[in-house]
Amino acid sequence: MRTLTVRNGQFWLDNRPQFIHAGEFHYYRAPAEQWRHRLELLRNAGFNTVASYIPWLWHQPEPGVTDFDGHTHPLRNLAGFLDLATEMGFYIIARPGPYIMAETINEGIPPWLFEQHPQIAFIGQDAKPQNVVSYLHPDFLNAVQSWYAAVFDVLTPKQVTRGGNILMVQLDNEMGMIQWVRNLVDINPDTLARFGTYLRQHYGERLSQQYPAANLVDYLREEITQPQSHYAQQVIEDYRRFYRSYLCEYMTFLRQTAKSYGMEV
């Protein structure tokens, strides 16, 4: 079994130093008949690795429809693209999201997911749903699990550990960036409940001194949406610390789920 490791500031493939010179090419944005020519240009420019996002909304355009072999559209032939890149001698960095950004609709999340599960939407301080999800909402995580089951069915056998050329897999992209850029705080009920749990664990017996409220979640919602008391600044500072652990939990879920479907690189 081939292995990719990192030591002494260097990548090693099968215990040999491996310089990874990667270029990005989005197969779903170029006619399939041009893929070979585009990859030749990449190779002629000195690259030995091709990286690409794998858009969830493109490969599952509607509920119950999954296409990785191009039977609904030639630009959905992910398996064919990966095989071509391997045939041409490229190593591969696969980037299956769920979030890919890449100037795609909903940053890669299928619109039908919001239509079927509006409860997963991130809700800002103005109480308006955003076209962003609350990462840890159980219904979103269930959908991600189904997406990973489908996409890793294609990726897993093509890893270097299985005789293929996929060297690395990037899970999600620019995590938390949209929330930061838009200066958003999530008041989705699921997130607020998690925030309350975090505060109880963080402050313990001191919680009532920090937040003298009979209903902590309602209090947090009020201070986020209509900050008035001198506790409002403390709420935001605690939310920032909470959200770091929230993102860590989300990333842990993605990694564990991907590994359960065969990710080894």
Side-chain angles (χ1 to χ4, degrees):
M1 182 177 73
R2 305 172 75 193
T3 57
L4 179 71
T5 56
V6 182
R7 63 177 185 270
N8 301 324
Q10 191 171 18
F11 292 109
W12 295 72
L13 183 61
D14 297 334
N15 291 317
R16 294 183 179 181
Q18 177 64 56
F19 181 73
I20 300 173
H21 194 190
E24 190 83 8
F25 174 61
H26 299 163
Y27 60 92
Y28 52 92
R29 284 175 164 151
E33 61 269 20
Q34 293 185 20
W35 288 351
R36 182 177 294 274
H37 173 63
R38 301 294 180 90
L39 290 175
E40 285 175 348
L41 294 175
L42 200 63
R43 184 171 58 190
N44 292 341
F47 294 93
N48 63 5
T49 304
V50 59
S52 184
Y53 296 116
I54 302 171
W56 182 1
L57 84 170
W58 179 237
H59 289 285
Q60 290 189 336
E62 56 186 88
V65 176
T66 299
D67 183 2
F68 292 115
D69 59 14
H71 66 269
T72 65
H73 194 289
L75 297 190
R76 291 192 174 108
N77 189 4
L78 171 65
F81 172 73
L82 296 175
D83 289 343
L84 175 62
T86 299
E87 172 199 323
M88 296 180 67
F90 284 98
Y91 292 117
I92 299 163
I93 300 174
R95 310 170 77 183
Y99 271 92
I100 64 168
M101 305 305 178
E103 293 69 52
T104 53
I105 296 171
N106 295 335
E107 284 67 50
I109 305 300
W112 58 259
L113 192 61
F114 287 101
E115 295 168 3
Q116 286 198 340
H117 304 285
Q119 69 275 16
I120 70 175
F122 187 110
I123 302 174
Q125 302 94 306
D126 58 1
K128 294 180 180 179
Q130 304 287 316
N131 65 330
V132 184
V133 302
S134 290
Y135 290 131
L136 289 179
H137 194 288
D139 293 329
F140 177 64
L141 297 185
N142 286 338
V144 171
Q145 195 163 19
S146 296
W147 163 242
Y148 272 16
V151 73
F152 277 97
D153 191 49
V154 177
L155 300 180
T156 293
K158 299 180 185 300
Q159 299 172 102
V160 291
T161 53
R162 306 287 183 98
N165 275 26
I166 295 178
L167 275 180
M168 301 178 183
V169 174
Q170 177 189 333
L171 305 178
D172 215 79
N173 187 42
E174 297 180 351
M175 193 179 299
M177 184 274 291
I178 297 173
Q179 298 87 325
W180 171 65
V181 169
R182 298 183 188 175
N183 195 26
L184 292 171
V185 175
D186 190 11
I187 63 167
N188 182 293
D190 180 75
T191 304
L192 281 182
R194 293 174 186 275
F195 185 21
T197 299
Y198 167 85
L199 292 175
R200 293 184 187 96
Q201 294 174 346
H202 179 71
Y203 286 110
E205 296 179 355
R206 297 182 294 115
L207 179 65
S208 60
Q209 301 172 19
Q210 295 293 330
Y211 295 104
N215 188 309
L216 179 60
V217 171
D218 287 346
Y219 181 82
L220 294 172
R221 183 185 297 105
E222 185 72 17
E223 291 297 334
I224 291 171
T225 58
Q226 298 178 354
Q228 295 178 0
S229 76
H230 65 280
Y231 293 102
Q233 181 177 349
Q234 183 67 45
V235 170
I236 296 304
E237 290 177 355
D238 279 336
Y239 178 87
R240 289 170 179 162
R241 284 187 285 269
F242 152 73
Y243 208 68
R244 294 189 188 103
S245 66
Y246 182 92
L247 294 178
C248 182
E249 186 175 346
Y250 173 57
M251 189 67 250
T252 299
F253 169 83
L254 295 183
R255 183 173 183 271
Q256 290 177 344
T257 302
K259 288 176 70 69
S260 73
Y261 289 115
M263 186 186 74
E264 297 169 341
V265 294

